[in-house]
Amino acid sequence: MKRTLGPLERIFPMPCVILGAGPVTEPSLMTASWINVVATAPPTIAVGVRKIRHTLKAMEESSCFSINIPSTALADTVDYLGIATANNPDIDKAHASKLHFSPGAVLDVPLVDECPYNLECRVTQTLDLGVYTLILAEIEQTHAEERILVAPDSDVVDIEALDPLIYIAGAREYRAIGSAVGPAYTIGKRFIG
Amino acid sequence: MKRTLGPLERIFPMPCVILGAGPVTEPSLMTASWINVVATAPPTIAVGVRKIRHTLKAMEESSCFSINIPSTALADTVDYLGIATANNPDIDKAHASKLHFSPGAVLDVPLVDECPYNLECRVTQTLDLGVYTLILAEIEQTHAEERILVAPDSDVVDIEALDPLIYIAGAREYRAIGSAVGPAYTIGKRFIG
């Protein structure tokens, strides 16, 4: 038996990442869950950002930003970056978070050292979606800690080593990744006669 | 120590849903992981769909589609819907999948009965992203099985009851949701003096 709940802005699950923009010595940071890949060739990211966010201004001014994927061990810090400005709009979140930053390899973006996976993105298009702005951006470089790769010469991430933070809308809780269900492009073959 | 991996179109984790469009008696279905909420007021979805997909044509012709969130028990079927057409472009995936469909409450979309959470979406904008089309759509209604809600009168999903399927890019594997890490908008307060 199903119930109708109205037009809720929820999908399950969502990632939970740190966006960074501006100077590496004074980066602007925010937490984002409304983000995903939407195209390849070129690899394109879509992310919805509330217009009042300082980080959005930094993203638009520099036309680039970083996506930093945290492990669950960083959950408190990520949560702080999502709520800090509401408590004090003038706070220096980057300093208070005690995170460290490195410059991008190809773009002028701040990469969060403590996040094991980082993307450098160049803004290609912005769309006005009312209270939100939709940013479309091309992924130009990826950085990953060696320890989270399945092999030294592989670009494939061992998801349990990355241990990414997951956001659950509605329940407003963070979760870890769970057990393996099966290999994609494989387990459905039993339907193919 | 970090390594650069090049411009990879990966974020961790991604959801894994079934998109449905066209007549409820003969729906067109596909698996999608490049999807997320991107705005509220109105609640807006962004989804990247490969242009060659039959389902994209049905989405554009009817200007609406459903998003159907499966549990991990449906992983084989979801995987099949992602690989079937490559093996046989003329196959009737909806029939072969043995899924059942109900009409939307507000839009002419096929809802997958076997998925415990369904969204009805109206296409508001399409963008050409090369090999992919980006669809922006407004969420107009949500349906959820009573058993996956935290309380009978709540719109909040119990994520363990939903047991959503998760897609891991690169490793090309499906995962389940894992253990609770902490409450959002709460665990970061320790940084706020």
Side-chain angles (χ1 to χ4, degrees):
Chain A
M1 183 67 187
K2 281 180 182 166
R3 276 185 45 215
T4 55
L5 305 178
L8 302 176
E9 62 270 30
R10 297 177 193 163
I11 274 209
F12 307 97
M14 292 177 178
C16 193
V17 304
I18 301 171
L19 303 185
V24 71
T25 51
E26 206 176 347
S28 183
L29 304 174
M30 63 170 277
T31 300
S33 282
W34 291 3
I35 186 167
N36 207 340
V37 172
V38 291
T40 186
T44 304
I45 285 283
V47 55
V49 182
R50 197 176 277 265
K51 282 182 183 166
I52 56 162
R53 287 287 189 181
H54 294 130
T55 307
L56 177 62
K57 198 176 161 202
M59 291 164 74
E60 289 182 319
E61 280 176 359
S62 64
S63 288
C64 57
F65 62 95
S66 64
I67 301 170
N68 306 277
I69 303 185
S71 296
T72 60
L74 216 62
D76 290 7
T77 305
V78 176
D79 191 56
Y80 166 73
L81 294 174
I83 61 179
T85 314
N87 286 273
N88 179 356
D90 298 321
I91 202 166
D92 179 353
K93 289 198 284 186
H95 182 76
S97 70
K98 298 186 167 52
L99 293 170
H100 301 84
F101 308 95
S102 296
V106 293
L107 294 172
D108 190 17
V109 295
L111 304 177
V112 178
D113 293 345
E114 286 81 356
C115 291
Y117 201 91
N118 320 85
L119 304 172
E120 298 184 46
C121 300
R122 185 176 53 80
V123 176
T124 53
Q125 204 168 340
T126 62
L127 272 84
D128 186 338
L129 295 181
V131 176
Y132 277 72
T133 291
L134 180 70
I135 301 269
L136 296 177
E138 184 174 339
I139 299 165
E140 298 216 339
Q141 186 54 283
T142 305
H143 306 261
E145 281 182 15
E146 285 181 352
R147 66 171 181 82
I148 70 163
L149 299 173
V150 296
D153 60 347
S154 173
D155 65 17
V156 174
V157 164
D158 174 341
I159 198 68
E160 293 187 5
L162 173 58
D163 185 23
L165 193 63
I166 301 176
Y167 181 65
I168 308 300
R172 298 163 69 105
E173 64 168 348
Y174 300 114
R175 289 265 170 173
I177 198 80
S179 55
V181 173
Y185 309 95
T186 304
I187 57 176
K189 285 185 182 166
R190 69 176 180 85
F191 286 90
I192 300 169
Chain B
M1 184 66 187
K2 282 180 181 168
R3 277 186 44 215
T4 56
L5 305 178
L8 302 176
E9 63 270 29
R10 297 177 193 163
I11 274 209
F12 307 96
M14 293 177 176
C16 194
V17 304
I18 301 170
L19 302 185
V24 70
T25 51
E26 205 175 347
S28 184
L29 305 174
M30 62 171 277
T31 300
S33 281
W34 290 3
I35 185 167
N36 206 340
V37 172
V38 290
T40 185
T44 305
I45 285 284
V47 55
V49 182
R50 198 175 276 266
K51 282 181 183 166
I52 57 162
R53 288 287 190 180
H54 293 130
T55 307
L56 177 62
K57 198 177 161 201
M59 291 164 74
E60 290 182 318
E61 281 176 359
S62 65
S63 288
C64 55
F65 62 95
S66 64
I67 301 169
N68 306 276
I69 302 184
S71 295
T72 60
L74 215 61
D76 290 6
T77 305
V78 175
D79 191 56
Y80 166 73
L81 294 173
I83 61 179
T85 313
N87 286 274
N88 179 356
D90 299 321
I91 202 167
D92 179 352
K93 289 198 284 186
H95 182 77
S97 69
K98 298 186 167 53
L99 293 170
H100 300 84
F101 308 95
S102 296
V106 292
L107 295 171
D108 191 16
V109 296
L111 304 177
V112 178
D113 293 344
E114 287 81 356
C115 290
Y117 200 91
N118 319 85
L119 304 172
E120 298 183 46
C121 300
R122 184 176 53 81
V123 176
T124 53
Q125 203 167 341
T126 63
L127 272 85
D128 186 337
L129 296 181
V131 176
Y132 278 71
T133 292
L134 180 70
I135 300 270
L136 296 177
E138 184 174 339
I139 301 165
E140 297 217 338
Q141 186 54 282
T142 305
H143 305 261
E145 281 183 16
E146 284 181 352
R147 67 172 180 83
I148 69 163
L149 299 173
V150 296
D153 59 348
S154 173
D155 64 17
V156 175
V157 165
D158 174 341
I159 198 68
E160 293 187 5
L162 173 58
D163 185 23
L165 194 62
I166 301 176
Y167 180 65
I168 309 300
R172 298 164 67 107
E173 64 168 347
Y174 300 113
R175 289 264 170 172
I177 198 81
S179 56
V181 172
Y185 308 96
T186 304
I187 57 176
K189 286 185 182 165
R190 71 177 179 84
F191 285 89
I192 300 168

